[in-house]
Amino acid sequence: MKYKQLGKSDLNISEVSFGCMSLQGDEEESIKMLHQALDKGINFFDTADLYDKGQNESVVGRAFKGMREKVVLATKVGNQWRPDGSGWDWNPSKAYILQAVEESLKRLQTDYIDLYQLHGGTIDDPIDETIEAFEQLKEQGKIRHYGISSIRPNVIREYVSRSNIASVMLQYSLLDRRPEEEVLELLQQHQIGVLARGSMAQGLLADKPAKSYLTYTLEEVQQAAEAVKVVAGKTRRASETAVRFVLHHPSVTSAVLGIRTEQQLEDALLAAQAEPLTDAEVRQLQEVLAAGKYEQHR
């Protein structure tokens, strides 16, 4: 497993990491998988207080109790469950973040979070107040670093210019190259790590039946999937090639893969071991479809 420094932080994380959102069902099986991932070199585990109303954090906390120093734990904040459980509301206020972190720390059974991320964000948020909350938590030692999870260029620009974020989590794949227009270069210039999710585009780049995706038609998705297979050849699988495409971009620190089954864990580990793509192979993939652009929140 290869490890990379996340932005300017002191966190060194595995190039392929474990997205815990997909974990569900038998808790003991989930914990077993988390342990297997750690044993095989994955050290970065990403969850959120939103997932399964906090139960996801609790499973991760149970899994790594007694081995805290071996893992890099990331979680997210900003979506507040309604008391009746009917849904959640966006709340990036300082008061809520300071309250929510205490609950996340309890569920994760730790006294610090390595990376605390704002789980979304809009340009109308009280951004300075949100940043104040994260900075206060850093000073208190309750979090080591903070970042945001967002695909909105206008929000990302504000945090780049006004805060000390270590990372941005965003969706990026051969079928979603919108970040290439300006976001990835901006983050690279400022030494802010990119955590890429959705690198297989809901499995469409890894042998799932084609369907339309974002602005791409079913036929265009088929073209992209076929190109991935061609580049994969006999040395890589399609899923490995899709992940390697994302990791080829110098701004990307880690591909965060949603893992629910042992097979998905095996696929993630194979992607980590796969041969990197050459520049020529990346160009070959990029030439198949025109890159999209963000239409909103510019």
Side-chain angles (χ1 to χ4, degrees), residues 72-142:
V72 179
L73 292 183
T75 191
K76 309 184 197 76
V77 65
N79 295 293
Q80 184 174 18
W81 280 101
R82 296 177 196 133
D84 63 3
S86 64
W88 61 85
D89 299 302
W90 179 239
N91 189 351
S93 70
K94 181 177 181 179
Y96 177 65
I97 292 170
L98 297 182
Q99 167 200 322
V101 74
E102 300 298 338
E103 298 304 314
S104 287
L105 288 167
K106 280 180 202 167
R107 288 189 290 261
L108 290 166
Q109 300 191 48
T110 182
D111 53 8
Y112 68 95
I113 292 162
D114 294 296
L115 181 68
Y116 203 33
Q117 302 158 99
L118 186 67
H119 202 173
T122 76
I123 203 68
D124 298 319
D125 289 346
I127 293 174
D128 288 329
E129 182 183 319
T130 302
I131 294 167
E132 271 179 34
F134 286 127
E135 289 291 346
Q136 183 173 320
L137 291 174
K138 266 184 84 172
E139 286 172 21
Q140 293 171 342
K142 292 177 180 177

Side-chain angles (χ1 to χ4, degrees), residues 83-281:
D84 63 3
S86 64
W88 61 85
D89 299 302
W90 179 239
N91 189 351
S93 70
K94 181 177 181 179
Y96 177 65
I97 292 170
L98 297 182
Q99 167 200 322
V101 74
E102 300 298 338
E103 298 304 314
S104 287
L105 288 167
K106 280 180 202 167
R107 288 189 290 261
L108 290 166
Q109 300 191 48
T110 182
D111 53 8
Y112 68 95
I113 292 162
D114 294 296
L115 181 68
Y116 203 33
Q117 302 158 99
L118 186 67
H119 202 173
T122 76
I123 203 68
D124 298 319
D125 289 346
I127 293 174
D128 288 329
E129 182 183 319
T130 302
I131 294 167
E132 271 179 34
F134 286 127
E135 289 291 346
Q136 183 173 320
L137 291 174
K138 266 184 84 172
E139 286 172 21
Q140 293 171 342
K142 292 177 180 177
I143 67 173
R144 291 175 66 192
H145 302 281
Y146 64 95
I148 62 170
S149 176
S150 178
I151 62 170
R152 297 180 171 185
N154 58 358
V155 172
I156 291 169
R157 279 195 300 269
E158 288 303 311
Y159 278 89
V160 168
S161 65
R162 292 156 74 171
S163 77
N164 296 306
I165 54 170
S167 62
V168 172
M169 179 176 283
L170 49 75
Q171 182 169 291
Y172 179 46
S173 73
L174 181 61
L175 283 171
D176 188 357
R177 290 170 53 207
R178 294 175 297 176
E180 289 180 1
E181 184 191 0
E182 59 175 75
V183 171
L184 295 183
E185 186 179 344
L186 174 70
L187 295 174
Q188 190 181 352
Q189 284 173 356
H190 289 268
Q191 292 179 272
I192 294 167
V194 172
L195 301 169
R197 58 178 178 81
S199 55
M200 294 187 213
Q202 299 175 354
L204 297 172
L205 297 171
D207 300 323
K208 274 203 177 172
K211 63 176 182 177
S212 58
Y213 185 80
L214 297 177
T215 58
Y216 297 117
T217 64
L218 182 146
E219 290 76 18
E220 288 173 323
V221 169
Q222 286 175 325
Q223 282 179 272
E226 186 56 38
V228 167
K229 284 181 185 173
V230 169
V231 168
K234 295 178 181 177
T235 58
R236 307 183 197 93
R237 298 190 308 170
S239 57
E240 297 163 17
T241 304
V243 173
R244 281 286 150 195
F245 172 81
V246 167
L247 289 173
H248 186 272
H249 199 286
S251 69
V252 175
T253 308
S254 184
V256 183
L257 305 182
I259 297 171
R260 187 181 68 255
T261 65
E262 290 202 12
Q263 184 57 57
Q264 288 172 339
L265 174 57
E266 183 64 26
D267 290 344
L269 293 168
L270 287 170
Q273 296 160 12
E275 193 71 23
L277 299 189
T278 65
D279 291 345
E281 287 173 326

